Amino acid sequence: MKLKDLLKDIEYISNIKESQLEDIEISDIVYDSRKAVKDSIFVAIKGETVDGHDYIKGAYDKGSRVFIINHDLEIEDDAIKIIVPDSRRVLSRMSAIFFSEPTKKLKVVGITGTKGKTTISNYIKTVLTKSGMNTGVIGTNGVFYNDVAEKTLNTTPESYELQKTIKEMLDAGVECVAMEVSSSGLMMGRVDDIDFDIGVYTNLSPDHIGPKEHPTFEHYRECKSRLFGLCKYGIINVDDENAQYMVDHAKCPTCGFSIDKESNIKAGNIELTRSSASLGVDFDYKLKDQDTVRTHICSPGEFSIYNALAVIGVCDHFGIDRDKMLEALSDAKVDGRVEVIPVLDNATVILDYAHNGLSLENVLDTLLKYDHNRMICVYGSIGGRAAIRRKELGDVAARLCDVSIITTDNPDDEDPMKIIDEIAESYVGSDSEVHKVVDRAEAIYKALEMAEDGDMVLVTGKGHEKYQYIHGQRVFYDEKAEVIKAGKKVMENRSNR
């Protein structure tokens, strides 16, 4: 592609004349100097800890001769400098142009909020695909479409990867993409050039607040609201206390979904259901002026109903057949999200991703509504983050769990036992039985081994993740596989007694 075409509508100054840009051919766009090739354009992005401007020489040595930079600096004489106000924003615009604006050629649903993004995006994929609209998903669990499954480093990938992935989806026959839109993705402009048909807002609670993320909750909220300046239609959980902020800052028409307040899509008559393989819920919903409809989902609790209502709103907006939608929704599941793992014959074992105080409280409150004997919880807290996160987790588990097994969860450079000890401080004066087990696999086995008839065992924090983050490295670890292995060992031991 010609450099002049890539720079269309972009404000810049250059060290060469405009007329000279016409004949320069660009083979690819890179922002990692290690991926530079001949005739690629290198975009220097300044991050929290790394500044791409420091790696221009490496990109030059690999063949780049055109550089997008935020400020003038010395480069080789034959280098072309394109100086722009914000190179990260330019990367987004150029990537969209380079891949021929793929998001304008299919439907895109963006989901933002603190909780529910992964579940809703995967539900949308399941329901729309089964209803006849080939749908892919981009998010925390990875990229999935047709038979393709790929990992992602971030919930919302960098703009270049987003545009490239969506172009590949389009070429493979995908008609709709459901993607998680993180606050950092919005803050860093990764989705500035995504043509969203629908934006979905789930809820908001203090999270991702810190020196490397958002300085305040208000900043976090404002970043989330940016989605509704990028989409054509908004679907918003009006029961959430920050919903009105989203509506007020939206630049598109919106509709609401709810359980408590009046809205376009309202649920009621809720009834818990249970089987050997799932904890679910039945409920009625009424959409606009249509008749009330009874439906079932195989995930538990009110938060699962909110997730389902968001999907119903998306399907209604796209004109999906209601019967096909309800049939697909009734058995939609997401790996590692309140997932029942049937490994014990006397207790219910649930795998989840809850890794902060609020999400753990929501999951426990939901599970405790089902008949049970004791609640046993296996959890930990990550290293390198604010200590208040550990206290919030410990406070919730100490109050709601009968037995807690505190273990390792992404310790990074911190001593895992130090983190465990800090969490355990919450149990002073608590009636909850508490155990400290550094090795996470051993902690899971201990929980399943002590499970009695009617107990619930919640193993949470990792969910779908396939790693432990230790000393800056992702070390392979499969939580679901460990639960299955531990369950098999416990059952074999019992049969041999």
Side-chain angles (χ1 to χ4, degrees):
M1 178 173 283
K2 299 295 185 184
L3 175 59
K4 185 67 176 177
D5 293 332
L6 278 178
L7 296 174
K8 182 181 178 182
D9 300 327
I10 291 173
E11 176 188 345
Y12 66 90
I13 58 175
S14 178
N15 63 329
I16 66 172
K17 296 178 180 179
E18 289 282 323
S19 59
Q20 294 176 276
L21 299 176
E22 297 283 352
D23 298 325
I24 298 173
E25 191 73 27
I26 298 299
S27 64
D28 201 357
I29 303 170
V30 297
Y31 58 94
D32 181 338
S33 63
R34 295 168 295 184
K35 297 181 180 179
V37 295
K38 186 177 184 300
D39 297 328
S40 60
I41 184 169
F42 178 74
V43 183
I45 297 175
K46 181 175 174 56
E48 283 289 338
T49 57
V50 176
D51 187 346
H53 294 80
D54 296 334
Y55 296 87
I56 285 175
K57 179 64 165 59
Y60 181 91
D61 291 343
K62 286 182 172 291
S64 288
R65 290 297 179 268
V66 182
F67 299 88
I68 304 292
I69 52 181
N70 288 337
H71 51 80
D72 197 6
L73 70 169
E74 291 295 323
I75 314 180
E76 301 292 337
D77 291 341
D78 62 338
I80 298 170
K81 295 185 281 190
I82 308 294
I83 305 171
V84 300
D86 188 334
S87 57
R88 189 183 290 277
R89 299 288 200 248
V90 169
L91 174 63
S92 173
R93 185 72 206 120
M94 288 198 311
S95 298
I97 294 171
F98 188 76
F99 291 107
S100 303
E101 306 271 14
T103 62
K104 293 184 177 180
K105 300 169 186 176
L106 42 63
K107 299 182 186 300
V108 184
V109 182
I111 304 97
T112 199
T114 303
K115 302 183 297 296
K117 297 187 298 295
T118 300
T119 299
I120 292 172
S121 59
N122 281 273
Y123 277 12
I124 289 171
K125 179 185 185 301
T126 297
V127 173
L128 289 184
T129 299
K130 288 185 177 180
S131 299
M133 182 185 293
N134 188 347
T135 302
V137 67
I138 301 172
T140 304
N141 287 8
V143 173
F144 301 93
Y145 63 97
N146 298 342
D147 295 325
V148 176
E150 299 173 346
K151 294 296 180 184
T152 54
L153 289 177
N154 300 303
T155 295
T156 305
E158 188 54 81
S159 54
Y160 175 87
E161 278 74 30
L162 270 179
Q163 297 288 348
K164 180 181 180 182
T165 297
I166 294 172
K167 178 63 164 62
E168 291 169 348
M169 289 179 165
L170 179 67
D171 291 344
V174 171
E175 301 165 90
C176 178
V177 177
M179 61 176 290
E180 298 180 52
V181 185
S182 66
S183 57
S184 60
L186 287 157
M187 177 175 66
M188 295 180 181
R190 294 174 185 164
V191 296
D192 280 2
D193 293 277
I194 301 293
D195 190 31
F196 290 102
D197 291 86
I198 299 176
V200 176
Y201 170 73
T202 63
N203 49 66
L204 207 62
S205 56
D207 198 14
H208 302 290
I209 313 297
K212 293 185 179 181
E213 297 181 278
H214 300 280
T216 64
F217 174 78
E218 288 72 23
H219 184 264
Y220 176 53
R221 180 177 63 180
E222 188 275 324
C223 287
K224 289 288 191 184
S225 72
R226 294 179 192 178
L227 176 60
F228 300 99
L230 298 171
C231 63
K232 301 182 184 75
Y233 186 69
I235 299 175
I236 292 174
N237 172 13
V238 298
D239 282 346
D240 183 76
E241 63 182 2
N242 290 286
Q244 193 59 50
Y245 181 92
M246 301 298 158
V247 173
D248 291 344
H249 288 76
K251 298 177 182 178
C252 63
T254 63
C255 84
F257 61 92
S258 66
I259 295 174
D260 300 322
K261 296 181 180 178
E262 290 303 315
S263 67
N264 304 78
I265 312 167
K266 191 173 190 302
N269 195 17
I270 298 167
E271 181 182 358
L272 302 181
T273 66
R274 187 171 188 168
S275 71
S276 60
S278 72
L279 301 170
V281 62
D282 290 345
F283 64 95
D284 293 338
Y285 78 87
K286 184 174 176 60
L287 197 156
K288 300 174 185 173
D289 297 325
Q290 298 177 16
D291 294 337
T292 298
V293 181
R294 189 73 172 164
T295 191
H296 168 78
I297 52 176
C298 60
S299 295
E302 282 195 352
F303 64 83
S304 295
I305 297 174
Y306 284 115
N307 295 339
L309 292 175
V311 177
I312 290 168
V314 169
C315 290
D316 176 68
H317 188 69
F318 285 157
I320 301 299
D321 179 82
R322 189 179 71 182
D323 291 339
K324 289 181 179 179
M325 180 267 293
L326 291 176
E327 182 180 358
L329 188 60
S330 67
D331 60 4
K333 297 179 181 179
V334 181
D335 288 345
R337 294 302 197 278
V338 203
E339 182 183 4
V340 175
I341 312 294
V343 292
L344 298 181
D345 59 4
N346 66 326
T348 303
V349 181
I350 304 106
L351 183 66
D352 196 66
Y353 186 59
H355 55 280
N356 61 39
L358 185 61
S359 58
L360 180 59
E361 184 172 28
N362 286 338
V363 171
L364 287 170
D365 280 343
T366 295
L367 296 177
L368 290 170
K369 291 185 173 78
Y370 290 81
D371 289 338
H372 67 284
N373 179 24
R374 298 182 303 168
M375 174 60 71
I376 303 172
C377 186
V378 180
Y379 75 101
S381 187
I382 63 178
R385 296 289 179 88
I388 187 64
R389 192 184 190 112
R390 300 165 194 179
K391 183 179 187 313
E392 289 171 348
L393 280 162
D395 287 353
V396 169
R399 176 167 51 87
L400 296 178
C401 298
D402 299 290
V403 181
S404 296
I405 302 177
I406 312 174
T407 188
T408 300
D409 185 347
N410 293 348
D412 197 6
D413 289 325
E414 287 197 66
D415 176 4
M417 183 53 78
K418 173 180 175 291
I419 298 173
I420 291 170
D421 286 339
E422 289 181 10
I423 296 171
E425 292 175 6
S426 292
Y427 289 81
V428 176
S430 169
D431 292 331
S432 178
E433 179 183 333
V434 60
H435 303 266
K436 302 175 183 179
V437 182
V438 172
D439 185 277
R440 195 169 177 99
E442 290 181 10
I444 291 170
Y445 176 75
K446 182 176 183 65
L448 269 58
E449 184 183 39
M450 68 167 55
E452 300 172 356
D453 291 351
D455 284 351
M456 281 191 176
V457 181
L458 173 64
V459 181
T460 189
K462 302 300 295 179
H464 65 285
E465 288 182 348
K466 295 293 189 288
Y467 66 88
Q468 283 274 31
Y469 197 68
I470 302 172
H471 299 307
Q473 301 294 320
R474 293 190 175 196
V475 179
F476 179 78
Y477 171 82
D478 187 332
E479 186 97 300
K480 187 172 181 177
E482 292 297 338
V483 170
I484 292 171
K485 182 168 70 173
K488 182 178 180 181
K489 184 177 179 181
V490 168
M491 293 302 293
E492 286 177 350
N493 291 344
R494 288 179 184 173
S495 66
N496 292 330
R497 288 173 186 167

